[in-house]
Amino acid sequence: MVIPVIVLFTKLDALDDKGYQMLLRENPDISHNDAAEQAPGRAQELFNELLTELRIFKSEYPPKNYVVLRGMNLPDANCSQLLDVTAAALDDETLQLLFVATQQANLKMCTIHAIGYTDIVAVAVRDVGDSNIV
């Protein structure tokens, strides 16, 4: 059985500054707001150029796929793209079933914790409401 490898790139945001600088250099008339708005696209272009040169993709057993995760430092960050690519990369039915079972267990755990948190908040709100705080 061959286990597929998926390469994660988590700091593409760091190329945004380079993309921004390139845009300003290439087009001196561009506004700073426009350059900032276009910088992520330019960063993606730079990344695509670098990607073809990485040795791992030229190896005897190259990765099955790769995922670029942006903004992982933000509170609402998620890695659903990684889950999708992982599920698609699994060729073995047993591995696919194991992956799905793991995700279902994770969803159940998240649901249980969310419900528990909701109950705690509801009790706190009820207690505050019952006290005669004016």
Side-chain angles (χ1 to χ4, degrees):
M1 174 186 329
V2 176
I3 306 296
V5 172
I6 298 169
V7 178
L8 297 177
F9 297 96
T10 59
K11 297 293 183 183
L12 184 64
D13 315 62
L15 285 178
D16 288 355
D17 287 340
K18 188 171 186 175
Y20 176 82
Q21 294 301 324
M22 289 177 71
L23 287 164
L24 290 177
R25 216 174 19 256
E26 294 167 0
N27 185 0
D29 296 331
I30 194 170
S31 73
H32 288 284
N33 287 340
D34 287 345
E37 189 175 303
Q38 295 174 27
R42 179 54 60 93
Q44 185 65 51
E45 291 171 13
L46 291 168
F47 174 76
N48 291 343
E49 292 171 14
L50 295 171
L51 190 63
T52 60
E53 300 303 317
L54 294 176
R55 289 186 314 164
I56 192 168
F57 290 101
K58 298 176 183 179
S59 67
E60 183 178 352
Y61 302 103
K64 186 86 172 193
N65 210 333
Y66 70 92
V67 176
V68 176
L69 300 174
R70 287 180 142 272
M72 295 308 293
N73 59 321
L74 302 174
D76 62 342
N78 72 63
C79 56
S80 59
Q81 183 184 6
L82 174 59
L83 298 176
D84 295 340
V85 170
T86 301
L90 297 174
D91 295 333
D92 183 89
E93 188 174 326
T94 304
L95 285 176
Q96 289 173 340
L97 292 172
L98 178 62
F99 181 74
V100 169
T102 303
Q103 293 310 307
Q104 288 173 339
N106 187 32
L107 178 61
K108 182 178 178 182
M109 182 180 69
C110 290
T111 304
I112 289 169
H113 286 286
I115 290 170
Y117 179 74
T118 304
D119 290 343
I120 291 168
V121 171
V123 168
V125 169
R126 183 195 66 216
D127 290 347
V128 169
D130 287 347
S131 65
N132 294 318
I133 300 175
V134 180

